[in-house]
């Protein structure tokens, strides 16, 4: 599980009524945010009515409509072999002018690898599919699967290994838990259960509003300002079905889109790079500084989407 400052679900009353929380008012102080997308070329199950290439094309179209620059796509190349034809997704991403980075070959969590050497091999094995499409461009950004960075000596060894191969860490500060909905969405499509899909969408989008407000409050508490953010999303059927509304909510909240290197040029990212543990930059920083976040309104809990359409 990824530990992040994100809303999994929102209140039962909201989801039952199908009414999302009202959109946030436009911020008087715009904030910077980079959009990053994990699990290319294939995240989650694939509905029978759409292809991986069509998902990628639709996702790119939304990003372009909102003038998002340099949206990094992080690749698990093992999925190319699992789904023949999905390799086209990487070419679509590059044709759009968006960069690719390494998310390890098989999405191997460093804490679950059979050995440290096995994890290193998995990182290296993920490089060719990215490097081949990024000739002449800087592709040496690595995102840890599940944002797990190892513990103790393992974390230090992983950092040294990645630095030796020229990598920079692709950090994360905010996510809305899109991956939680991926399996349930396809199950409900297969069952034709539109009522559950409506519930899920209302719940998720209300959670986006909640998550944006929570992100701003946490950042203000830790840094005294809203630092440039890095959003984690995924390239799957659920994410593309909701991304247009997610981007509209970010726009309404004052988002100004930047590249990943631009966001991570903020000193907050360098300061958090060596902090222990995994998860988001803001979580690691709050823990290291013993900053109490308990007075910030908690993210609410509602319908367990994992149980829908079973």
């Amino acid at each position: 599980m990824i530990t992040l400052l994100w809303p999994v679900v929102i209140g039962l009353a909201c989801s039952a009524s199908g009414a999302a929380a009202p959109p946030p008012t436009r911020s008087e102080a715009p904030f910077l945010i980079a959009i990053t997308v994990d699990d290319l070329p294939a995240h989650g199950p694939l509905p029978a009515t759409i292809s991986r290439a069509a998902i990628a094309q639709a996702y790119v179209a939304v990003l372009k409509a909102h003038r998002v620059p340099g949206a990094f796509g992080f690749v698990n190349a093992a999925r190319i072999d699992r789904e023949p034809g999905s390799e086209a997704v990487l070419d679509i991403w590059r044709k759009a002018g968006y960069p690719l980075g390494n998310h390890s070959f098989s999405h191997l969590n460093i804490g679950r690898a059979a050995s440290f050497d096995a994890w290193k091999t998995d990182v290296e094995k993920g490089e060719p599919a990215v490097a081949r499409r990024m000739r002449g461009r800087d592709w040496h950004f690595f995102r840890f699967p599940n944002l797990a960075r190892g513990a103790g000596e393992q974390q230090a060894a992983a950092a040294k290994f990645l630095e030796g191969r020229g990598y920079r860490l692709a950090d994360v500060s905010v996510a809305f838990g899109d991956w939680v909905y991926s399996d349930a969405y396809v199950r409900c499509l297969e069952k034709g259960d539109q009522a559950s899909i409506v519930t899920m969408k209302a719940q998720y989008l209300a959670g986006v509003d909640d998550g944006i407000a929570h992100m701003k409050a946490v950042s203000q508490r830790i840094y005294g300002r809203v630092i440039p953010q890095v959003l984690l999303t995924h390239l799957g059927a659920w994410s593309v079905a909701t991304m247009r509304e997610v981007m509209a909510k970010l726009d309404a909240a004052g988002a100004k889109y930047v590249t990943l290197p631009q966001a991570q040029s903020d000193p907050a990212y360098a300061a958090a790079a060596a902090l222990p543990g995994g998860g988001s930059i803001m979580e690691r920083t709050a823990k290291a500084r013993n900053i109490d976040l308990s007075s910030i309104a908690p993210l609410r809990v509602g319908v367990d989407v994992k149980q829908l359409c079973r």
Side-chain angles (χ1 to χ4, degrees):
M1 175 178 286
I2 300 176
T3 303
L4 278 173
L5 297 168
W6 54 270
V8 177
V9 286
I10 203 74
L12 281 165
C14 172
S15 60
S17 68
T25 56
R26 181 165 294 279
S27 171
E28 295 182 2
F31 65 96
L32 304 180
I33 188 166
I35 309 297
T36 66
V37 188
D38 281 11
D39 296 359
L40 277 67
H43 170 78
L46 182 66
T49 55
I50 194 169
S51 68
R52 293 294 181 188
I55 288 173
Q57 289 166 340
Y59 208 108
V60 164
V62 173
L63 297 180
K64 291 292 185 179
H66 290 264
R67 299 181 181 178
V68 173
F72 250 95
F74 290 95
V75 179
N76 302 125
R79 301 181 186 199
I80 296 171
D81 298 330
R82 294 177 199 163
E83 293 193 30
S86 65
E87 191 171 9
V89 167
L90 307 186
D91 298 321
I92 290 167
W93 205 258
R94 289 298 297 125
K95 187 176 181 180
Y98 289 147
L100 298 170
N102 192 358
H103 196 30
S104 83
F105 180 73
S106 66
H107 202 273
L108 182 60
N109 183 313
I110 188 172
R112 300 172 192 159
S115 67
F116 185 64
D117 284 342
W119 174 79
K120 291 195 297 181
T121 297
D122 203 69
V123 173
E124 293 169 355
K125 195 174 178 181
E127 293 176 349
V130 176
R132 190 162 59 247
R133 293 171 173 82
M134 288 287 289
R135 288 192 182 100
R137 299 288 303 276
D138 182 10
W139 56 269
H140 284 88
F141 279 83
F142 182 78
R143 172 158 290 156
F144 282 100
N146 307 121
L147 303 188
R149 305 192 305 157
E153 293 181 0
Q154 187 186 63
Q155 179 176 327
K160 183 177 180 180
F161 165 74
L162 292 172
E163 183 179 1
R165 296 191 71 80
Y167 281 106
R168 286 176 280 174
L169 176 65
D171 222 323
V172 172
S173 63
V174 63
F176 304 128
D178 57 339
W179 65 91
V180 174
Y181 292 78
S182 298
D183 291 352
Y185 177 57
V186 175
R187 286 198 307 271
C188 292
L189 283 176
E190 290 174 348
K191 287 179 175 288
D193 189 344
Q194 289 298 319
S196 290
I197 291 173
V198 168
T199 292
M200 288 169 58
K201 192 169 184 180
Q203 177 168 288
Y204 176 67
L205 293 176
V208 171
D209 287 337
D210 216 31
I212 292 170
H214 194 264
M215 170 271 290
K216 289 182 177 182
V218 169
S219 187
Q220 287 284 359
R221 177 68 55 83
I222 296 171
Y223 306 102
R225 62 192 175 97
V226 178
I227 65 168
Q229 298 290 312
V230 177
L231 175 67
L232 166 65
T233 64
H234 293 77
L235 194 67
W238 171 259
S239 304
V240 77
T242 55
M243 195 61 184
R244 190 178 304 277
E245 291 94 333
V246 170
M247 294 299 297
K249 289 178 179 297
L250 286 168
D251 288 348
K256 303 298 179 184
Y257 304 106
V258 296
T259 66
L260 176 64
Q262 286 172 329
Q264 294 197 161
S265 68
D266 189 275
Y269 287 84
L275 294 178
S280 77
I281 172 181
M282 295 201 291
E283 288 175 321
R284 300 197 309 269
T285 302
K287 185 174 181 179
R289 296 183 185 177
N290 292 315
I291 297 173
D292 182 10
L293 302 176
S294 62
S295 64
I296 295 174
L299 299 170
R300 292 166 285 175
V301 176
V303 173
D304 182 0
V305 297
K306 294 181 180 180
Q307 302 305 316
L308 289 178
C309 299
R310 291 288 185 185

